[in-house]
Amino acid sequence: MMTPASDTVSYEIVGRTGLIELNNPPVNAASHHLRHGLMQAVRALGVADGVEVIAIYGATRAFIAGADIREFGKTPVEPILPAVCLAIEASDVPVVAIMHGATLGGGLEVALSAHARVALPDLVTGFPEVTLGVIPGAGGTQRAPRLIGVAATLDLATTGRRIMADEAMELGLIDRIVDGPARYAAIAAATEVLKGSLTTRRTGEQPVTPDPDVLAETTRNLAASQSHLFAPHRAAEAVGLSTGPLDKGLARERALFNECLASPQRAGLIHAFFAERAVAKIPEADATPRDIGSLGVVGGGTMGSGIATAGLLAGLPVTLAEQDDDALDRAFGTISRNLDGAVKRGKLGSEARDALLAEDLILTTDLADFARTDLIVEAVFEDMGVKQDIFRRLDAVCKPGAVLASNTSYLDINKLAAVTQRPGDVLGLHFFSPAHVMRLLEVVVADGTAAEVTATGFALARKLRKVAVRSGVCDGFIGNRILAHYRKAADYMVVDGASPQQVDRALETFGFAMGPFAVSDLAGLDIGWATRKRLAPTRDPAERYVAVADRICERGWFGRKTGQGFYLYGKERPVPNPEIARIIEDERTKASVTPRSFEDQEIVDRYMIAMISEAARVLGDGIAQRPIDIDAVFLFGYGFPRFRGGPMHYADTIGAAALIDRIEAYAAEDAFFWQVPPLLRHLASTGQTFADLNKGA
Ligand code: 3HC
Ligand code: NAI
């Protein structure tokens, strides 16, 4: 009979075995009820008559997925996990852990405290703590080296890499792999312990061989490649201490863990973890998505080929239409190269690549070939007339219930829906380049889009392993609308005295993967140029306009693809293009600007505050549902530093009142660009944060 030890833990005695079942759905996070129950159960079984072995297993799909990260930042509730681990390790009755499903972070630490470890084949284990801005804080950095050595522990603890049962076995992290339900495995493992065929020992009593060379090398590599991150360096330091006495190592590990817990990076990274999941909470979540068994793509350029590649990699048969055979050949070449890249990265075997190209990809010049396709993404030139023509033709040939999507970067989805007889089936699916790599997918919901069609967009994203974010219709949707605004702040700073390289460097030091001018070169300067030309007739004459990028484009320099842009390409690494300085100088003279110097911090402030301002307007206009959706857009589509959590999370670290002060100060020099968004005023006057607007997400 099961005896409850807490809401989430129960135990029973079967013969000479004490069984502990952990049941904290969905993933058995080690929240305080679970810790309390586990401690109680170990104590109770440790003194129970006739119990000679204890086995712990999970009743959910995981053993323990780790600490409950929702508790981070709150006052810790006893017993804390290190104490639970010490109690398990100290138990006179041997304890065996059945590791299955997610056994991560604190879950692995519980298992390491046991006296033997048996895994089921679905095991995923490791120390993902650094990806959340912390380090293993319940003995992982001290006990793992005693089983798998310093080098392997350094690898796991500083990278957050997750490993499967086979690798865990090879490393010596587990004693054996068995099949069957977790409860049966627990009974079987306990029987083996009783028979003596499964050896038990205390991990903390095992010796560790120092490995100063690997430690020094890891420390050096981290200093070079992860200088802006806080946790990985602490993880290495903690592992380094494992060669000393266990109690000292444990104490220092906990102190380092607490330092990480208090760091803003921990808050940013955990916000990013939840952002990835919160975006799925949409008003259409209850609608039943349509089945998507095939994908169509119109246009096989950069984006169309990338989208086709993403579909193929997700196992969807893809039909791709182009204007003529030459264009189809080019698309085939791009898709092949994309798949080659996946082979090189180890994501696909070369035979599978050949099979995808031969069997799952159909190339055509005839849109009638979409007659049986479930979902078609249009990715032709960014031109309303060309796109409307495609939508009219798709409407004529596609089966009832097919979903018609556009990958447009800026254009009005309502105007595309309007040329069809089925506006309910039309939506925007805005992929990011390269489409088979970038994780963001903006699902743009037009006025008439049916709820199930929006839900289908989200279901497709799941199939493609992308992060879908719901957006309303406006010029540029969430991401590009905000980008178009803050990008101007970078241009203004360049005319006012900063160089493009200084702006890029300042923002890369802040943590962006690439600065805005390097990104423009990569995306192609012609794209922004076309948008500026399209919007020129509607531009307000009061708006300050910087023509530097137009002058560059007029020379036929479109960035990386033409070898020249803000930087020169072709050498080992890009170098600043000397001609650009002259173009900037001319523009300064024309605008009668006397250049001044900029501190890097001012560059970051102006850029970020411009981003936050437009983001607040996007929220105020109802284009994004919640601040956390905007954070996800920037984290997964725009190279925003994950450890800063996203622009809205970052905004809260400054505060609405301080943001308003800065905007008003900047407005003294340009009152058109620097306007305080009404939502920011509302937050300041009510004492709220952007995080408050995420409630329920
Ligand atoms: N704490 C709290 N909630 C968690 C959680 C955790 N550690 N892990 C997952 N969840 C929640 C998710 O937020 C989600 O909630 P929702 O349904 O309300 O959105 C729910 O559990 C299910 O999670 P997923 O949607 O991610 O489910 P998957 O099946 O796709 O993935 C998983 C499961 C592999 C466990 C994945 O959730 C994951 O990687 N979790 C984080 C694991 C981790 O990093 N653990 C280490 C924590 S730090 C630590 O242990 C410190 C220690 O050393 C002291
Ligand atoms: P591209 O110029 O590389 O490709 C467009 C392709 O469409 C060309 O190959 C062209 O032959 C084909 N095409 C044109 N008319 C056609 C027709 N009637 N039938 C079949 N094919 C036709 O352009 P790119 O960069 O791939 O962009 C495509 C769309 O994706 C645009 O709407 C763009 O705004 C959007 N987009 C672009 C991103 C980027 O980074 N390049 C990112 C996200 C969206």
Side-chain angles (χ1 to χ4, degrees):
M1 213 196 50
M2 289 279 203
T3 308
S6 75
D7 291 357
T8 52
V9 181
S10 48
Y11 62 91
E12 68 182 307
I13 299 173
V14 177
R16 289 184 285 161
T17 301
L19 287 175
I20 301 179
E21 183 182 88
L22 311 174
N23 192 2
N24 187 20
V27 294
N28 271 351
S31 36
H32 97 265
H33 285 290
L34 187 134
R35 298 193 303 273
H36 170 73
L38 181 53
M39 186 80 137
Q40 291 293 107
V42 169
R43 283 195 179 138
L45 290 170
V47 294
D49 269 354
V51 171
E52 292 173 28
V53 57
I54 297 171
I56 312 172
Y57 67 95
T60 70
R61 57 188 156 107
F63 174 64
I64 299 175
D68 185 338
I69 55 179
R70 291 180 201 272
E71 291 180 1
F72 284 4
K74 300 184 183 152
T75 314
V77 181
E78 303 279 342
I80 58 173
L81 200 59
V84 178
C85 290
L86 278 177
I88 293 172
E89 185 162 69
S91 167
D92 290 329
V93 178
V95 179
V96 51
I98 310 304
M99 297 166 66
H100 57 98
T103 304
L104 295 163
L108 174 55
E109 291 175 301
V110 167
L112 288 169
S113 318
H115 308 114
R117 281 151 294 280
V118 169
L120 300 187
D122 69 349
L123 173 69
V124 179
T125 190
F127 292 124
E129 282 89 341
V130 286
T131 64
L132 299 169
V134 293
I135 66 167
T141 63
Q142 306 303 302
R143 292 196 178 91
R146 290 172 158 82
L147 289 183
I148 63 174
V150 168
T153 308
L154 277 172
D155 169 38
L156 294 181
T158 62
T159 63
R161 194 165 73 80
R162 296 171 184 214
I163 61 173
M164 310 292 155
D166 287 349
E167 190 175 349
M169 187 74 201
E170 269 166 43
L171 286 175
L173 204 53
I174 55 179
D175 297 308
R176 65 188 56 162
I177 303 173
V178 301
D179 250 326
R183 184 184 147 82
Y184 292 164
I187 293 170
T191 310
E192 298 232 20
V193 171
L194 292 172
K195 282 196 305 201
S197 50
L198 177 59
T199 310
T200 57
R201 70 282 189 209
R202 287 198 174 93
T203 310
E205 290 172 359
Q206 307 307 306
V208 198
T209 312
D211 201 340
D213 291 348
V214 173
L215 185 62
E217 193 192 335
T218 306
T219 308
R220 256 196 325 274
N221 290 346
L222 288 173
S225 65
Q226 315 258 11
S227 58
H228 48 284
L229 289 183
F230 189 77
H233 311 275
R234 271 86 199 157
E237 182 185 339
V239 175
L241 297 169
S242 63
T243 50
L246 180 67
D247 55 347
K248 282 209 176 116
L250 288 176
R252 182 71 189 131
E253 177 200 73
R254 193 66 189 172
L256 289 167
F257 171 82
N258 283 332
E259 272 181 37
C260 292
L261 207 54
S263 78
Q265 292 200 355
R266 186 276 302 162
L269 286 164
I270 288 198
H271 181 76
F273 176 88
F274 286 122
E276 186 173 343
R277 288 152 180 86
V279 289
K281 292 175 183 148
I282 52 165
E284 298 82 1
D286 290 338
T288 308
R290 294 183 188 162
D291 284 339
I292 299 301
S294 56
L295 180 68
V297 182
V298 192
T302 312
M303 292 309 291
S305 296
I307 296 164
T309 310
L312 291 171
L313 287 171
L316 287 171
V318 176
T319 305
L320 183 141
E322 256 292 351
Q323 308 195 79
D324 51 43
D325 288 342
D326 285 349
L328 281 178
D329 284 348
R330 280 195 299 277
F332 185 81
T334 313
I335 296 169
S336 308
R337 278 192 301 280
N338 289 345
L339 291 178
D340 287 347
V343 172
K344 253 188 226 137
R345 290 195 303 276
K347 303 220 149 150
L348 187 72
S350 50
E351 279 174 20
R353 186 259 330 262
D354 294 347
L356 288 181
L357 289 171
E359 291 158 29
D360 285 358
L361 178 64
I362 295 171
L363 301 173
T364 181
T365 52
D366 185 358
L367 294 194
D369 285 339
F370 290 123
R372 288 206 297 270
T373 309
D374 294 327
L375 184 147
I376 298 101
V377 184
E378 163 282 309
V380 302
F381 302 131
E382 185 75 343
D383 179 292
M384 183 54 88
V386 176
K387 287 189 189 287
Q388 283 181 325
D389 177 51
I390 297 288
F391 270 78
R392 268 189 211 99
R393 287 160 60 197
L394 287 174
D395 189 27
V397 299
C398 290
K399 66 181 180 185
V403 174
L404 308 187
S406 173
N407 182 48
T408 176
S409 304
Y410 288 93
L411 302 178
D412 187 344
I413 306 293
N414 286 314
K415 291 192 178 149
L416 297 176
V419 300
T420 72
Q421 303 301 310
R422 46 173 113 188
D425 295 340
V426 176
L427 84 172
L429 288 179
H430 185 210
F431 291 80
F432 288 74
S433 181
H436 61 295
V437 176
M438 293 297 286
R439 294 201 58 213
L440 179 64
L441 178 67
E442 281 181 329
V443 176
V444 187
V445 182
D447 294 347
T449 307
E452 71 196 68
V453 170
T454 302
T456 307
F458 275 75
L460 176 74
R462 271 195 297 281
K463 219 172 231 178
L464 302 182
R465 305 177 81 104
K466 297 206 180 289
V467 180
V469 178
R470 188 187 193 282
S471 171
V473 174
C474 66
D475 209 273
F477 319 122
I478 297 176
N480 279 350
R481 169 169 161 188
I482 298 172
L483 165 74
H485 187 75
Y486 68 78
R487 194 58 190 69
K488 287 178 192 161
D491 289 343
Y492 295 160
M493 287 188 278
V494 159
V495 172
D496 289 344
S499 69
Q501 303 82 263
Q502 190 198 354
V503 173
D504 279 355
R505 231 183 309 114
L507 290 159
E508 283 159 17
T509 307
F510 178 77
F512 277 95
M514 278 172 108
F517 294 99
V519 168
S520 298
D521 272 2
L522 183 66
L525 298 177
D526 48 325
I527 293 184
W529 195 27
T531 307
R532 288 192 298 278
K533 284 195 271 195
R534 177 172 60 81
L535 294 177
T538 57
R539 191 177 305 128
D540 191 321
E543 183 181 8
R544 183 179 179 192
Y545 185 73
V546 171
V548 170
D550 298 350
R551 297 288 94 82
I552 301 175
C553 289
E554 283 159 11
R555 298 184 188 205
W557 298 343
F558 296 155
R560 256 173 208 269
K561 61 178 141 185
T562 57
Q564 303 204 47
F566 286 98
Y567 297 86
L568 295 177
Y569 300 89
K571 306 232 169 65
E572 223 167 83
R573 59 176 55 205
V575 290
N577 184 347
E579 283 297 312
I580 301 298
R582 268 189 283 280
I583 294 175
I584 293 170
E585 202 45 62
D586 285 352
E587 291 305 308
R588 280 180 189 149
T589 310
K590 268 191 232 157
S592 310
V593 171
T594 311
R596 67 174 179 93
S597 64
F598 279 81
E599 297 284 331
D600 285 1
Q601 187 58 48
E602 183 181 354
I603 292 175
V604 170
D605 286 348
R606 284 175 178 258
Y607 190 80
M608 286 309 305
I609 291 171
M611 186 185 298
I612 292 163
S613 300
E614 190 62 13
R617 284 186 278 268
V618 161
L619 271 172
D621 292 350
I623 298 299
Q625 297 185 94
R626 297 150 305 201
I628 203 164
D629 294 79
I630 297 182
D631 286 336
V633 163
F634 280 85
L635 290 167
F636 298 105
Y638 291 81
F640 194 93
R642 194 174 164 99
F643 66 87
R644 295 196 189 269
M648 304 282 82
H649 179 83
Y650 179 72
D652 279 346
T653 67
I654 304 174
L659 285 165
I660 291 173
D661 286 349
R662 303 266 190 91
I663 296 170
E664 285 176 341
Y666 297 150
E669 67 196 47
D670 181 352
F672 184 93
F673 185 76
W674 295 105
Q675 296 185 30
V676 177
L679 178 63
L680 209 52
R681 285 223 191 273
H682 170 74
L683 292 183
S685 66
T686 55
Q688 280 182 296
T689 61
F690 284 111
D692 291 327
L693 308 182
N694 288 328
K695 296 261 159 72

